[in-house]
Amino acid sequence: MNWFTKYKAKLGVRYLAFEKLFTIAKERDLKIIIETGTARGKSKFYYRRPKINWKDGMSTLLFAEYAKMVNGTFWSCDIDHRNISNAYQFTQSLSYEVNFVVADSLIFLRDLSTTIDILYLDSLDGNIPGANEHQLKEAEIAESKLNKQGIILLDDKGAKTELSIPFLTDKGWNIIFENNQQVLLSRK
């Protein structure tokens, strides 16, 4: 994945999970991407524009670049309008239209009428009470909408994946990669 190597130093431990995800996605011709929880960046009062924060992952920027490259469709949902505004600014330079949605991820996923190729669940930080239950609800809603060749990436391993991993593995999903931050699943 030549286009992706430029992110190695920026992503740190997250690099390998995303590299594996994009490698599989390209091999399987996966083009419809759904992300819950958008890239927030960091805002300081003395900055006019939000700054990219690679410690936060910046998945929205990565997915937007991949979607542009494969002529795909990318939806990013967040409940906070400011986060969506920041992510919009981060992706503007790509000249690619991301479908940004300000909504509760559970409602967004419930109302989504498309098949999902790549699902990234990262809508609540793992230190927020109820994050485990929320990610499980997202997985329950979205699982039946996933392409049989699709892949799922769960963020904040351990902090909010304790319920969603057993649910997904019971549904036939297999863990194909994991590190101390993320878990990647596929049916193959």
Side-chain angles (χ1 to χ4, degrees):
M1 305 268 349
N2 292 337
W3 73 274
F4 193 66
T5 56
K6 65 186 173 191
Y7 294 112
K8 189 169 189 171
K10 295 175 181 179
L11 286 172
V13 70
R14 289 183 169 101
Y15 177 81
L16 291 176
F18 278 104
E19 180 186 46
K20 182 88 170 165
L21 180 144
F22 290 125
T23 299
I24 293 168
K26 187 76 171 143
E27 289 169 358
R28 296 181 186 177
D29 196 30
L30 303 178
K31 296 183 177 186
I32 302 170
I33 307 160
I34 305 297
E35 169 187 61
T36 63
T38 199
R40 301 171 288 200
K42 55 182 171 181
S43 299
K44 302 254 180 172
F45 66 91
Y46 49 86
Y47 290 131
R48 300 201 102 204
R49 300 186 78 188
K51 298 293 180 188
I52 289 176
N53 179 14
W54 288 105
K55 291 180 182 177
D56 194 35
M58 298 307 296
S59 56
T60 306
L61 189 55
L62 303 175
F63 287 129
E65 188 170 346
Y66 173 80
K68 179 182 180 184
M69 183 179 70
V70 299
N71 196 31
T73 303
F74 172 41
W75 295 81
S76 184
C77 172
D78 199 286
I79 201 164
D80 189 322
H81 187 273
R82 182 177 23 186
N83 292 345
I84 291 290
S85 177
N86 290 352
Y88 172 78
Q89 290 180 51
F90 299 145
T91 59
Q92 270 189 312
S93 65
L94 294 173
S95 300
Y96 172 78
E97 188 174 328
V98 176
N99 299 291
F100 287 110
V101 178
V102 178
D104 181 300
S105 62
L106 300 176
I107 295 169
F108 168 71
L109 290 168
R110 181 197 69 199
D111 294 346
L112 188 68
S113 61
T114 188
T115 300
I116 303 168
D117 290 335
I118 301 169
L119 177 64
Y120 183 48
L121 299 181
D122 188 22
S123 61
L124 287 179
D125 289 331
N127 62 344
I128 295 174
N132 268 319
E133 292 81 5
H134 187 80
Q135 189 178 79
L136 173 61
K137 288 177 188 172
E138 288 177 327
E140 289 171 339
I141 294 167
E143 195 273 333
S144 66
K145 297 179 182 200
L146 274 137
N147 173 343
K148 295 201 183 316
Q149 299 290 316
I151 49 181
I152 302 169
L153 184 60
L154 305 174
D155 197 46
D156 294 338
K157 179 186 169 195
K160 65 181 177 191
T161 60
E162 292 171 351
L163 302 174
S164 52
I165 290 173
F167 168 77
L168 290 167
T169 56
D170 284 349
K171 291 285 190 175
W173 292 85
N174 301 302
I175 295 173
I176 57 172
F177 179 86
E178 63 183 305
N179 59 28
N180 64 347
Q181 293 283 323
Q182 297 166 310
V183 179
L184 185 62
L185 300 104
S186 172
R187 286 190 176 113
K188 286 185 122 184

